[in-house]
Amino acid sequence: MTTTARSRSTRWLRFLFETTAGGPATDAALLAVRVALVWVFLYYGAAKLFSAFPGAGPNGIHQTALYMSQTAHLRPGELFAVLAGATEFGGGVAMALGVCTRLAGLALFGDMVLATITVTWSTGLSSATSPPGYQLNLALGALALVAALVGAGRFSIDALIARALRRDDILPPRAEISRRAGTTGQR
């Protein structure tokens, strides 16, 4: 493998699995972000895909497909119903385990941006009408973006994978990364 190809592979692995350095408070905050995202996205994703949790909006693929095509104006509705359900449920599972958290965070952020643009933007930030305002989309999108930008934190499978990659010399140690960047790596 050439040096350029190895460098590119290393960057992708670092993007997928490493977490921005922080202390115990940062790790606890990232865990709280992940728990909030898991709670909401597993709920809505399971409702869309498996008809779980009646009352969570469209229930099941058929109702979600109708909602996607008629309310969100996304066609074909079946495709977008499966994409939204898989993104929300799969993203929730990834957040729960803390695996590929940055990728899951990007997917969930995109899901919330699309929901805001297609459904809730026209009703404003807060609305008593149907559809509701975009306040929930905004909050969830911001939390997902935090996970995408910072990573999962110490309490995650991502952290275990990053440690194993550093141990096997696939990723350089954090101190070497900091030295190359001209920083001490300490706060």
Side-chain angles (χ1 to χ4, degrees):
M1 181 181 283
T2 67
T3 305
T4 305
R6 181 174 168 85
S7 174
R8 193 175 309 124
S9 297
T10 301
R11 279 194 306 258
W12 274 107
L13 289 171
R14 186 172 293 118
F15 169 76
L16 279 175
F17 301 114
E18 280 200 332
T19 298
T20 302
T26 301
D27 291 324
L30 290 171
L31 183 60
V33 165
R34 287 180 28 227
V35 166
L37 291 171
V38 167
W39 193 284
V40 174
F41 282 111
L42 278 181
Y43 181 81
Y44 282 101
K48 285 178 177 73
L49 292 175
F50 313 120
S51 299
F53 313 114
N59 211 294
I61 291 293
H62 179 69
Q63 281 186 8
T64 304
L66 289 173
Y67 185 84
M68 292 292 184
S69 64
Q70 294 172 0
T71 303
H73 306 291
L74 296 170
R75 293 183 181 87
E78 294 82 6
L79 171 68
F80 285 98
V82 170
L83 282 175
T87 298
E88 292 171 9
F89 190 77
V93 170
M95 288 289 168
L97 299 173
V99 64
C100 293
T101 304
R102 291 178 187 256
L103 196 58
L106 282 174
L108 294 172
F109 175 73
D111 185 56
M112 290 298 93
V113 168
L114 190 60
T116 301
I117 291 169
T118 60
V119 179
T120 59
W121 184 260
S122 63
T123 58
L125 180 65
S126 181
S127 173
T129 64
S130 183
Y134 59 84
Q135 70 273 17
L136 182 61
N137 301 120
L138 182 66
L140 292 173
L143 288 174
L145 192 57
V146 166
L149 293 174
V150 181
R154 185 179 319 182
F155 310 114
S156 65
I157 292 176
D158 284 350
L160 295 173
I161 292 170
R163 278 193 294 268
L165 291 172
R166 280 193 296 277
R167 183 188 64 231
D168 296 340
D169 288 331
I170 295 170
L171 287 179
R174 284 189 187 273
E176 184 178 331
I177 295 166
S178 298
R179 187 177 42 79
R180 284 184 197 166
T183 62
T184 62
Q186 297 180 5
R187 293 180 179 213

